[in-house]
Amino acid sequence: MGGSWVFGICVVYYLAGANSFLISTPPIHDVKIFELLFQLANQLPYATNSCNFEKPWCCRGEKYCYVFSGFCAYGEVDKTIETFGNNLFEMEENLPIWEELLGLKGYIAWECVGIPEETQLYFYQLYVRGIQGKALSLFEGKILNPLMKKGEEHVKEYFLEIEEKYSQVYDSHHTMPEWLWNKIKAVLET
């Protein structure tokens, strides 16, 4: 899962008495991770980075675009742009990356990212909020407009299904001790 590092932040930040970082396979998808991160940690995400090349973010590559779209979808667009130092939706050189992340190239992007449906959901949420940019125009033209041919209700149902599927909390799919899982599960299901 692309947001494993985000999950680690949530766990460490919210478990009382935790004095070391936890490594686990999260029983949730990135949609839920981004939702919880901004719901529970509020401003904390804007202080994070995960770039191996340039701090805080180099703004080039699948992981950076993916995290940018999740931050924008669940957080504040202006603060996300400030955090990254660029509007990644407007960067022409990132359009091929957005095509990969949206599933338009016929394969899943290589680096630590979610699946195309998750990125599509982030873009849809931004579309509904009226956010614009070159990458969002790509989404509208290649994904949203073809879906709209079946009607607006079909579009809403399509994205609701994605949101429900990727917002689930799984009781298995992790290797945590039961006592720890019970504490984490309570946070995940808020």
Side-chain angles (χ1 to χ4, degrees):
M1 302 237 170
S4 306
W5 61 275
V6 177
F7 178 75
I9 291 170
C10 287
V11 170
V12 170
Y13 192 74
Y14 286 100
L15 286 181
N19 52 12
S20 63
F21 285 91
L22 304 170
I23 300 171
S24 66
T25 304
I28 56 177
H29 292 278
D30 293 343
V31 167
K32 187 69 172 176
I33 292 170
F34 283 122
E35 175 190 327
L36 283 172
L37 185 62
F38 284 94
Q39 178 185 347
L40 299 173
N42 194 8
Q43 300 301 307
L44 180 64
Y46 303 114
T48 64
N49 69 68
S50 182
C51 186
N52 299 328
F53 303 107
E54 183 180 320
K55 301 295 181 198
W57 300 93
C58 69
C59 302
R60 317 178 286 281
E62 293 95 346
K63 176 171 61 173
Y64 315 108
C65 288
Y66 181 76
V67 171
F68 182 85
S69 64
F71 274 31
C72 286
Y74 290 95
E76 298 175 38
V77 175
D78 291 340
K79 284 188 179 181
T80 301
I81 292 169
E82 183 181 329
T83 297
F84 278 72
N86 279 302
N87 182 345
L88 278 61
F89 294 136
E90 288 292 344
M91 295 174 66
E92 190 79 32
E93 61 270 30
N94 284 341
L95 288 177
I97 294 168
W98 290 119
E99 289 177 332
E100 289 178 21
L101 292 171
L102 290 166
L104 298 172
K105 296 264 187 152
Y107 56 87
I108 297 174
W110 173 254
E111 202 168 348
C112 301
V113 297
I115 62 170
E117 288 82 4
E118 290 175 291
T119 306
Q120 291 174 17
L121 177 64
Y122 307 150
F123 273 58
Y124 180 70
Q125 291 171 341
L126 294 165
Y127 167 81
V128 169
R129 288 171 37 199
I131 306 301
Q132 298 180 355
K134 292 177 183 176
L136 290 145
S137 294
L138 174 71
F139 165 75
E140 280 186 64
K142 300 283 186 168
I143 293 171
L144 193 57
N145 289 343
L147 288 171
M148 285 285 203
K149 290 179 181 177
K150 294 183 179 180
E152 196 170 320
E153 197 58 38
H154 171 75
V155 172
K156 289 178 183 177
E157 289 175 18
Y158 175 81
F159 287 106
L160 181 61
E161 285 178 20
I162 291 173
E163 186 170 27
E164 287 173 353
K165 180 178 181 179
Y166 295 106
S167 293
Q168 291 182 49
V169 176
Y170 299 95
D171 284 324
S172 58
H173 188 67
H174 61 83
T175 57
M176 292 178 248
E178 195 65 28
W179 66 268
L180 180 59
W181 169 240
N182 289 333
K183 288 183 178 185
I184 292 172
K185 184 177 179 183
V187 173
L188 295 178
E189 292 181 336
T190 59

